[in-house]
Amino acid sequence: MERSHQVEAGSLEASLLQMVSDHNHAAIELRERTEKAKKDAIQTAIRVSDLLVKSVDGGVREVFINEERIDKEIQALTASITRFSKQNDQWLAASHALNTAVKEIGDFENWMKTMELDCKSISAAICNIYQT
């Protein structure tokens, strides 16, 4: 009862071997398609991720650009406010000096009127003394 290792065509063993071979071939094909689909899915995920990052980065970049513009505008406004504050202080000082000068002129005018009255009084007294 020696078995021959040769498989006869059309026999049950040949059919089973053919089925196993077909199954292995189908499994290899399925594995290759699965691997290809996996690689495609990874590439697609990478592309989607890149697009999302670019989309978010674009918005973030725009925000940073706007922030820089606002900072520059704030610096310019701060410089203008400082300049106007100094000018305002100068105008206030000039106005105070002018008010002081006007007061002094008024004080001088009052002194002059007082002196004039005193001179008239003295002149009238001298005239009265001279006539008497």
Side-chain angles (χ1 to χ4, degrees):
M1 289 201 165
E2 215 174 84
R3 278 184 116 182
S4 146
H5 286 346
Q6 293 179 349
V7 179
E8 295 177 18
S11 71
L12 179 62
E13 224 177 309
S15 295
L16 285 175
L17 285 174
Q18 183 63 39
M19 283 176 56
V20 168
S21 175
D22 289 346
H23 171 72
N24 287 340
H25 188 284
I28 289 171
E29 241 180 70
L30 181 61
R31 215 175 291 128
E32 287 173 356
R33 281 187 294 182
T34 303
E35 192 65 32
K36 185 179 183 306
K38 180 181 169 184
K39 287 179 183 178
D40 289 345
I42 289 172
Q43 289 300 324
T44 302
I46 289 171
R47 269 188 268 133
V48 167
S49 174
D50 287 344
L51 289 173
L52 287 172
V53 167
K54 285 179 184 176
S55 172
V56 170
D57 281 351
V60 170
R61 188 174 300 120
E62 187 175 331
V63 167
F64 280 125
I65 289 170
N66 288 339
E67 183 181 14
E68 287 178 3
R69 287 179 185 159
I70 290 170
D71 286 343
K72 287 179 183 177
E73 198 64 33
I74 287 171
Q75 290 172 353
L77 288 173
T78 301
S80 294
I81 289 170
T82 302
R83 190 176 69 247
F84 289 141
S85 177
K86 287 179 182 177
Q87 285 178 347
N88 188 38
D89 290 343
Q90 290 172 346
W91 278 105
L92 284 174
S95 170
H96 181 68
L98 184 62
N99 283 340
T100 302
V102 168
K103 285 180 185 177
E104 288 174 359
I105 289 172
D107 291 344
F108 181 74
E109 187 179 357
N110 285 337
W111 178 78
M112 288 296 293
K113 286 181 183 177
T114 303
M115 291 300 288
E116 184 181 6
L117 287 174
D118 287 348
C119 286
K120 284 181 182 178
S121 295
I122 292 171
S123 176
I126 292 175
C127 283
N128 284 341
I129 293 173
Y130 183 70
Q131 289 175 359
T132 353

